[in-house]
Amino acid sequence: MYGTHSKRDMEIEYQSQVPILRPSIHARRAKITVKFQDLYGFTVEGNVDDVNVLNEVREKVREQGKVWWSLEASKGANWYLQTHVSSTLKTSLKFSALVNAITLKKLIRKGIPPVLRPKVWFSLSGAAKKKSTAPDSYYEDLTKAVQDKVTPATKQIDHDLPRTFPGHPWLDTAEGHAALRRVLVAYSFRDSDVGYCQGLNYVAALLLLVMKTEEEAFWMIAVLLENVLVTDCYNKNLSGCHVEQRVFKDLLTKKCPRIAAHLESLEFDVSLVCTEWFLCLFAKSLPSETTLRVWDVLFNEGANLLFHVALAIFKMNEEELLTVHHVGDVIHIIQRCTHQLFDPDDLLTVAFDQIGFMTTTTISRQRKKQEPAVMAELDQRLRRLNSINASDEQ
């Protein structure tokens, strides 16, 4: 679709999507809290300084968009797909693919223009390839086949629909609920091991806003759970998510030792904040435009990005965290920070430049190290629960 637009048409379309926010003179003078809608329809509360930050960010996004338009004009509409360096390629083509890959990684870390985001995500994440392996009518046939079925998963989905971004002008409507329900129910039948897990509703809702169509949102969910994220992150006992939390705790000790030691002295459990981050992929914690910048990188570089972002949030609040003495204060500082992180560049700069490089091999070893302890702990919980249930029945 976007490949058929002229550069000028795309610029005009994009400019219309990134309006300048203009607080009233009264608000500027009084420095009071103002409310406004972001690009994806969410109501945001902040002071005038926050509005100024958002306007600066949007200006940077406009400038970044010009770079993408220029590359589309010089390299072709789908140049970013030519990034795979294969041994069968000629030397000149290998070099070209390598240059494209390096260029793309840098570009994506600076943000994908909203008008290009659906196409780039769908291609780079592997969702397009996954969809191509299924019949053309797969999603339509699946939704029709399961629309009247009732399962524990569908009951939980129905319960969560009105609690998913309440107040949003489209998601919190009958039409929005119906679309979100179809996507979530369809996937619950595609993968019965996952079924439905709370947290997926926020991920799917945001994907619906970006991808525009239910079918593309469905395939993005599929590639996320089946290829991008770690195995078993959303299964019934959340074993993958528990492993990620343990890995994160180890990484926090290595990357931010002062914070880790202080939190240990407070007996602070990182799962109090990280569970929501890893299950909702920050969709419920960060402003939507910041979340989508994180997802830009996630779909290109993989799940380890989540550790970089989580570590960055703690690192950005290091000095203040070291002054508090109560668990509740830690949670307050972290939540205040995430809700006000309107500049994605602030977050991602810390995530990559200050946290430092973490190899996939290193993190994979950490996961394998933690898996036995997690499975033993979950098994112990299950035995304890079964014992309690047995006692109640007697």
Side-chain angles (χ1 to χ4, degrees):
M1 167 183 174
Y2 298 109
T4 61
H5 284 39
S6 70
K7 178 183 174 184
R8 179 59 180 163
D9 289 341
M10 294 176 75
E11 287 179 344
I12 292 172
E13 180 179 356
Y14 179 56
Q15 294 288 345
S16 68
Q17 292 190 18
V18 191
I20 292 291
L21 302 171
R22 304 187 189 281
S24 68
I25 293 176
H26 172 72
R28 292 199 297 272
R29 287 176 177 169
K31 296 184 179 181
I32 61 175
T33 298
V34 294
K35 291 185 178 182
F36 46 89
Q37 281 194 346
D38 66 16
L39 292 181
Y40 293 91
F42 293 97
T43 299
V44 179
E45 290 189 11
N47 57 35
V48 175
D49 289 337
D50 294 327
V51 174
N52 291 335
V53 169
L54 271 172
N55 282 331
E56 290 173 5
V57 168
R58 292 181 180 189
E59 183 57 36
K60 285 190 286 187
V61 171
R62 285 190 191 87
E63 293 302 312
Q64 181 70 359
K66 294 176 183 178
V67 178
W68 282 81
W69 312 145
S70 176
L71 285 167
E72 291 239 325
S74 62
K75 292 177 176 285
N78 296 316
W79 69 271
Y80 49 82
L81 297 181
Q82 314 303 319
T83 57
H84 180 63
V85 183
S86 170
S87 59
T88 61
L89 290 176
K90 294 180 180 179
T91 302
S92 60
L93 293 178
K94 281 184 183 179
F95 180 74
S96 177
L98 184 60
V99 170
N100 280 352
I102 294 171
T103 301
L104 182 66
K105 185 174 182 178
K106 291 180 178 179
L107 270 180
I108 286 179
R109 286 188 176 188
K110 291 182 179 179
I112 302 171
V115 73
L116 286 177
R117 192 169 266 144
K119 184 179 75 163
V120 176
W121 279 10
F122 204 62
S123 299
L124 294 183
S125 66
K129 183 177 180 180
K130 186 175 287 288
K131 179 180 181 295
S132 71
T133 64
D136 291 342
S137 60
Y138 179 90
Y139 177 71
E140 183 181 357
D141 292 343
L142 180 58
T143 53
K144 287 180 180 178
V146 304
Q147 62 182 353
D148 296 324
K149 295 185 180 295
V150 178
T151 66
T154 64
K155 291 179 180 179
Q156 187 62 54
I157 289 168
D158 288 334
H159 181 69
D160 287 347
L161 289 175
R163 302 192 299 178
T164 307
F165 297 126
H168 187 275
W170 182 73
L171 288 171
D172 196 13
T173 64
E175 181 185 359
H177 288 175
L180 181 57
R181 186 183 193 279
R182 284 190 291 269
V183 170
L184 291 172
V185 169
Y187 193 80
S188 76
F189 280 90
R190 174 181 170 87
D191 188 343
S192 58
D193 289 335
V194 170
Y196 169 71
C197 173
Q198 288 178 303
L200 276 179
N201 51 322
Y202 293 99
V203 176
L206 204 47
L207 284 171
L208 274 171
L209 293 179
V210 175
M211 304 308 296
K212 309 302 182 185
T213 71
E214 291 177 31
E215 184 176 19
E216 289 192 347
F218 169 83
W219 287 112
M220 289 298 294
I221 287 283
V223 82
L224 257 176
L225 272 61
E226 297 165 18
N227 302 96
V228 177
L229 301 176
V230 298
T231 306
D232 298 332
C233 207
Y234 292 94
N235 67 359
K236 291 178 174 58
N237 64 4
L238 301 180
S239 59
C241 185
H242 288 293
V243 169
E244 296 297 85
Q245 290 172 25
R246 284 174 175 256
V247 172
F248 174 72
K249 187 175 180 180
D250 284 349
L251 292 173
L252 188 66
T253 300
K254 293 177 181 178
K255 296 291 185 177
C256 307
R258 289 202 304 160
I259 297 175
H262 185 63
L263 296 182
E264 185 74 23
S265 71
L266 299 180
E267 299 184 348
F268 177 80
D269 186 347
V270 294
S271 67
L272 292 172
V273 292
C274 290
T275 300
E276 181 178 286
W277 293 351
F278 293 145
L279 287 179
C280 299
L281 308 182
F282 297 99
K284 196 180 174 186
S285 308
L286 296 172
S288 68
E289 295 176 56
T290 303
T291 300
L292 298 181
R293 281 285 302 279
V294 170
W295 288 12
D296 285 345
V297 184
L298 173 68
F299 290 129
N300 186 52
E301 299 186 32
N304 291 348
L305 177 274
L306 301 177
F307 291 126
H308 279 272
V309 173
L311 288 167
I313 291 170
F314 277 92
K315 185 68 175 176
M316 294 171 76
N317 295 279
E318 180 169 13
E319 298 307 321
E320 188 173 6
L321 286 172
L322 293 175
T323 66
V324 301
H325 303 287
H326 302 285
V327 169
D329 293 332
V330 175
I331 295 173
H332 173 72
I333 290 169
I334 295 298
Q335 289 183 342
R336 184 191 64 205
C337 170
T338 54
H339 293 160
Q340 296 176 348
L341 264 173
F342 295 113
D343 190 342
D345 289 326
D346 286 349
L347 175 63
L348 294 176
T349 297
V350 175
F352 293 115
D353 295 350
Q354 294 188 34
I355 297 304
F357 182 66
M358 296 185 289
T359 67
T360 300
T361 302
T362 299
I363 293 180
S364 295
R365 286 201 200 103
Q366 289 274 39
R367 289 185 177 120
K368 289 181 180 178
K369 173 186 172 183
Q370 297 295 345
E371 282 172 2
V374 167
M375 298 311 296
E377 182 180 310
L378 293 174
D379 186 56
Q380 186 178 20
R381 286 185 192 177
L382 181 61
R383 288 200 304 269
R384 192 183 307 126
L385 181 61
N386 289 339
S387 176
I388 293 172
N389 291 337
S391 299
D392 290 342
E393 291 174 359
Q394 290 178 356

